[in-house]
């Protein structure tokens, strides 16, 4: 028995294991309920009385040895910090591709427009998307029976007081004039809503950037220069704009502005209907009635305003000829746009 114990002791001392399974097999072999040490303890009964003391001691040592060797092996496994299943990992393999998001093309264009107007000393104003009739229509000189108030154009919200989703960012003009005295020089970028049938050229959600300047001696020439400057900054030094007389309740006189983009691609033909020109905004001199609604003296102050459609501009810039793509959240479409400014 003494020899057996000595043999086992040697085996245990030198035992090496690589895997958790091997260690477990080793534990079962020695310490399991049918293991070697259990067997030796069973044989202990047959040991002569005078040897019992010594053999008992040796057996206890053997069991302690086996237990501590197993603990050592387990600790060695854990201490290298690598779990068993990662042991065979190939560190030279390329990593998993990690995709970072990108900005939405509408945001990219919006941010670029904001930057250009910031350079012209405009600050950014904001207003709510759920608006009341006063800020969206009445204060902006919309006659009571104006068709834009019609159910067909406006999404009304089921709340008392003719609450609606704003149909244009001109509502922010009203909010600014309510809270600020001239000189005023702001732009208001934001989302607007109209009850329109969705097609390649129209959507019920879109974005605008509104502009408002009110000061002494502001003229139509200032408006024109501001817009030409913007067009050159955004579309390039050779950009051209043209103004066509138009009507808006809150401006007098009013104009619509087209930018000349040209006909370089098939998409240009589709987006500009074969003319090379695209209408990008409405503008005009702020109607004296609007100024009066906000206690601004029209004899002392004058101002201009404009509102441009962001999707229109994004369509040209990125050659997207179907507006609906901007709202489908298809990652394959969205990841093509990179910040360029
Ligand atoms: N609010 C107009 C629209 O949604 C655009 C517009 C036209 C804004 C003339 C203005 C303006 O500030 O002066 O179509």
């Amino acid at each position: 028995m003494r020899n057996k114990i000595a043999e086992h002791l040697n085996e245990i001392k030198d035992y090496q294991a690589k895997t958790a399974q091997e260690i477990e097999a080793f534990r079962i072999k020695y310490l399991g309920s049918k293991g070697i040490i259990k067997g030796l303890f069973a044989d202990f009964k047959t040991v002569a009385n005078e040897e019992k003391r010594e053999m008992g001691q040796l057996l206890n040592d053997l069991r302690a040895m086996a237990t501590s060797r197993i603990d050592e092996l387990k600790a060695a496994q854990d201490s290298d910090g690598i779990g068993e299943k990662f042991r065979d990992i190939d560190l030279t393999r390329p990593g998993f591709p990690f995709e970072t998001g990108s900005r939405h093309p509408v945001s990219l264009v919006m941010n670029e427009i904001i930057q250009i107007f910031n350079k012209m000393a405009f600050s950014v104003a904001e207003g709510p998307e759920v608006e009341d009739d006063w800020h969206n229509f009445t204060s902006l000189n919309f006659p009571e029976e104006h068709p834009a108030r019609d159910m067909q154009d406006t999404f009304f919200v089921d709340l008392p007081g003719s609450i609606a989703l704003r149909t244009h960012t001109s509502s922010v003009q009203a909010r600014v004039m309510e809270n600020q005295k001239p000189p005023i020089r702001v732009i208001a970028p934001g989302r607007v809503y109209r009850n329109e049938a969705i097609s390649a050229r129209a959507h019920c959600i879109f974005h605008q950037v509104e502009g408002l300047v009110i000061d002494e001696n502001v003229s139509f020439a200032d408006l024109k220069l501001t817009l030409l400057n913007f067009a050159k900054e955004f579309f390039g030094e050779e950009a051209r704009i043209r103004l066509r007389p138009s009507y808006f309740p809150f401006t007098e006189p009013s104009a619509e502005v087209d930018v000349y983009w040209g006909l370089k691609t098939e998409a240009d033909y589709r987006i500009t209907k074969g003319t090379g020109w695209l209408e990008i905004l409405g503008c005009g001199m702020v109607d004296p009635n609007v100024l009066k609604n906000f206690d601004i003296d029209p004899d002392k102050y004058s101002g201009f305003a404009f509102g441009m459609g962001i999707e229109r501009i994004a369509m040209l810039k990125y050659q997207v000829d179907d507006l609906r793509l901007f709202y489908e959240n298809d990652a394959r479409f969205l990841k093509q746009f990179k910040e360029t400014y």
Side-chain angles (χ1 to χ4, degrees):
M1 184 161 209
R2 196 191 311 267
N3 290 344
K4 267 197 199 159
I5 291 174
E7 261 171 45
H8 289 312
L9 259 180
N10 279 336
E11 193 193 354
I12 290 170
K13 258 196 252 149
D14 297 338
Y15 182 72
Q16 295 296 340
K18 281 204 202 72
T19 67
Q21 288 94 314
E22 284 174 339
I23 298 174
E24 180 59 8
F26 182 69
R27 186 191 67 79
I28 292 169
K29 177 175 169 191
Y30 276 98
L31 297 171
S33 54
K34 291 176 186 147
I36 289 170
I37 292 176
K38 263 274 156 58
L40 289 170
F41 272 103
D43 295 345
F44 183 69
K45 289 191 230 81
T46 63
V47 170
N49 272 347
E50 59 275 21
E51 282 187 321
K52 271 215 156 80
R53 193 183 153 83
E54 190 199 345
M55 285 303 149
Q57 186 64 52
L58 284 174
L59 272 177
N60 280 333
D61 289 351
L62 180 67
R63 184 165 58 189
M65 187 68 178
T67 309
S68 70
R69 181 71 195 134
I70 286 164
D71 288 347
E72 260 173 41
L73 287 169
K74 279 189 182 162
Q77 264 225 320
D78 294 343
S79 70
D80 66 7
I82 304 170
E84 183 54 37
K85 65 179 169 198
F86 295 124
R87 199 162 288 281
D88 297 327
I89 203 162
D90 177 359
L91 295 175
T92 64
R93 284 179 63 181
F96 292 110
F98 179 77
E99 286 212 40
T100 49
S102 57
R103 282 193 206 283
H104 194 282
V106 169
S107 301
L108 290 175
V109 170
M110 189 133 101
N111 289 345
E112 189 173 352
I113 293 172
I114 292 170
Q115 278 199 359
I116 292 171
F117 281 102
N118 275 346
K119 280 199 266 181
M120 292 193 262
F122 284 75
S123 51
V124 172
E126 285 184 329
E129 291 179 20
V130 181
E131 235 341 332
D132 55 35
D133 178 272
W134 168 253
H135 293 96
N136 197 76
F137 294 126
T138 303
S139 69
L140 297 172
N141 208 30
F142 276 80
E144 207 55 62
E145 69 291 354
H146 195 283
R149 298 182 182 220
D150 204 300
M151 294 295 276
Q152 265 142 34
D153 275 319
T154 307
F155 286 117
F156 286 94
V157 178
D158 208 0
L159 285 172
S162 198
I163 306 292
L165 299 181
R166 67 181 178 196
T167 58
H168 53 182
T169 44
S170 303
S171 60
V172 186
Q173 279 190 35
R175 297 218 163 246
V176 170
M177 285 187 272
E178 193 170 67
N179 296 315
Q180 243 173 281
K181 290 295 146 219
I184 290 171
R185 198 174 174 82
V186 294
I187 51 166
R191 183 173 295 170
V192 300
Y193 304 83
R194 280 188 210 169
N195 197 351
E196 301 220 23
I198 294 170
S199 71
R201 299 178 63 89
H203 210 286
C204 59
I205 301 173
F206 55 101
H207 298 77
Q208 294 184 329
V209 174
E210 189 78 13
L212 177 69
V213 172
I214 299 174
D215 205 342
E216 291 177 39
N217 302 316
V218 175
S219 72
F220 202 91
D222 297 320
L223 168 60
K224 221 173 141 179
L225 184 69
T226 305
L227 296 177
L228 182 62
N229 242 335
F230 164 74
K232 282 174 183 284
E233 286 275 336
F234 191 93
F235 295 102
E237 199 43 47
E238 66 294 343
R240 280 186 283 157
I241 58 171
R242 70 181 181 196
L243 279 75
R244 287 178 287 104
S246 184
Y247 171 78
F248 299 101
F250 35 95
T251 43
E252 180 60 34
S254 305
E256 280 170 316
V257 175
D258 304 337
V259 64
Y260 188 72
W261 171 265
L263 293 166
K264 296 176 284 287
T265 67
E266 223 179 289
D268 293 341
Y269 273 87
R270 278 199 290 274
I271 298 167
T272 69
K273 293 188 184 147
T275 65
W277 290 92
L278 187 71
E279 182 203 321
I280 57 163
L281 63 89
C283 65
M285 300 305 291
V286 181
D287 193 299
N289 284 339
V290 174
L291 296 178
K292 279 187 224 154
N293 282 338
F294 296 100
D295 293 327
I296 296 172
D297 179 1
D299 294 327
K300 184 169 182 205
Y301 293 106
S302 55
F304 66 75
F306 57 87
M308 63 178 80
I310 301 191
E311 279 79 357
R312 285 284 180 94
I313 297 173
M315 284 170 94
L316 268 190
K317 176 166 173 133
Y318 295 122
Q319 298 281 288
V320 175
D321 57 10
D322 189 333
L323 196 63
R324 288 168 290 198
L325 286 165
F326 289 129
Y327 306 105
E328 283 169 357
N329 275 342
D330 184 333
R332 291 166 303 178
F333 171 72
L334 295 175
K335 73 178 175 196
Q336 300 174 63
F337 304 97
K338 297 278 168 283
E339 267 160 272
T340 52
Y341 55 91

